[in-house]
Amino acid sequence: MTRRLLIALLLSPLALQAQDTRPVPTQRVGLPLNLTEIYIPGTELKAKPRRDREPPLVVRILEVKPAKDGSRYDFEVQGLEAGRHNLSDYLEPTDGSAAAELPEIPLEITSALPAGLSYPNKIGRGELPKLGGYRTTMTVLGGIWLAGLGAILIWKKKKPADQDQTNTPQASLAERLRPLVDEASKGKLTPDDRARLERLVIGHWRERLPEVAALSPAEAMTKLRTDPQASPLILALERWLHAPSSSTSQAEIEKLLSPYAASI
């Protein structure tokens, strides 16, 4: 018995030394590190959720195998910062119970960069750049062009109606004849105006007198000399042709034009 105790006392420092010298899993920053068959006593565990980018390790549990008084786990770990880490710090019970003290699971993340390098400054919040560029410019110009085209088409479509609404009433035949008759009474009627005056008069009576419609202008004028409504103006024009008079009153002219007042 004494001999066995002595042997145990001699072997225990060797055992502790062997445990302390176990190789620590190591991996470079950013590369996955797989740890398999890691026994952890107690309730089943899960990886703590990452709520920000501060934790230096990204831990995933690949598989959980039941074991006596605990479980065996396969992990995939990705280190974001170089240094020595404890994987147990990134685990918590799946049942939501208070985290028990877990055995240390050391691992080391190394970096190819030399120590002492400073990290880049964090990018602060700022306003996003405004959208722009050739495509946006062409889209805006195309929209403006289409809007202008639509406005022109709508304006042209409404223009006739607007003009109809704003136009003054069309002059009656008497209003169009009045200056010609006035000039004829004074002997100042030009040949063109005389021809225009005769066309207006003959055209008016051709629409109202069927017996005049098929006659030539000369025959129509002859026929109209005997018509009770048309003859006053026809005879007055013939009289003014040979003896123009500046004494013809406006009332006399209006009386001669009265048969034409209702016509356009």
Side-chain angles (χ1 to χ4, degrees):
M1 182 65 181
T2 303
R3 184 180 179 183
R4 292 181 179 178
L5 180 59
L6 180 59
I7 294 173
L9 291 175
L10 292 174
L11 293 177
S12 57
L14 297 176
L16 292 174
Q17 184 177 3
Q19 184 176 3
D20 293 339
T21 57
R22 285 181 300 179
V24 175
T26 304
Q27 185 55 283
R28 289 284 183 86
V29 172
L31 298 179
L33 171 63
N34 292 326
L35 303 176
T36 59
E37 298 294 333
I38 303 300
Y39 173 78
I40 302 177
T43 59
E44 185 176 342
L45 303 175
K46 66 177 182 179
K48 291 182 180 178
R50 290 175 58 86
R51 305 187 187 283
D52 50 42
R53 297 182 178 180
E54 294 297 330
L57 295 183
V58 178
V59 179
R60 292 178 56 204
I61 297 178
L62 303 179
E63 186 175 4
V64 181
K65 303 172 186 175
K68 184 179 181 181
D69 299 331
S71 303
R72 293 187 180 277
Y73 299 84
D74 291 346
F75 295 100
E76 181 186 82
V77 182
Q78 186 177 19
L80 304 180
E81 293 182 7
R84 190 180 180 91
H85 305 281
N86 181 13
L87 180 58
S88 298
D89 295 339
Y90 301 87
L91 303 175
E92 64 181 9
T94 57
D95 56 5
S97 61
E101 185 176 356
L102 301 176
E104 183 181 9
I105 308 174
L107 58 89
E108 186 171 5
I109 302 300
T110 62
S111 174
L113 298 177
L117 291 178
S118 58
Y119 289 95
N121 295 329
K122 292 185 177 178
I123 301 176
R125 293 186 177 182
E127 296 183 356
L128 293 175
K130 295 182 179 179
L131 296 177
Y134 176 78
R135 179 173 297 179
T136 302
T137 302
M138 295 306 296
T139 302
V140 172
L141 293 178
I144 294 174
W145 183 83
L146 289 176
L149 178 62
I152 292 174
L153 294 177
I154 294 174
W155 175 74
K156 284 190 173 181
K157 187 175 181 180
K158 291 184 176 179
K159 186 177 179 181
D162 295 341
Q163 287 182 341
D164 291 339
Q165 294 176 358
T166 57
N167 281 345
T168 55
Q170 187 174 357
S172 65
L173 179 58
E175 292 173 335
R176 287 183 288 162
L177 288 174
R178 185 175 295 110
L180 298 175
V181 172
D182 184 64
E183 293 295 316
S185 67
K186 300 175 183 176
K188 300 180 180 179
L189 198 65
T190 64
D192 292 339
D193 288 340
R194 181 181 177 181
R196 181 186 174 198
L197 177 60
E198 290 180 355
R199 285 198 302 270
L200 291 174
V201 173
I202 294 174
H204 170 74
W205 292 115
R206 278 178 173 173
E207 293 179 357
R208 282 161 177 75
L209 301 176
E211 61 273 22
V212 178
L215 298 179
S216 65
E219 294 173 339
M221 292 297 289
T222 302
K223 183 69 176 179
L224 292 175
R225 289 193 188 97
T226 59
D227 185 84
Q229 290 184 318
S231 60
L233 180 59
I234 300 297
L235 296 177
L237 291 175
E238 291 179 351
R239 185 174 63 256
W240 291 333
L241 180 63
H242 300 286
S245 175
S246 59
S247 60
T248 305
S249 64
Q250 193 64 33
E252 293 175 338
I253 294 177
E254 295 298 331
K255 184 178 180 181
L256 295 173
L257 295 177
S258 58
Y260 308 89
S263 299
I264 301 300

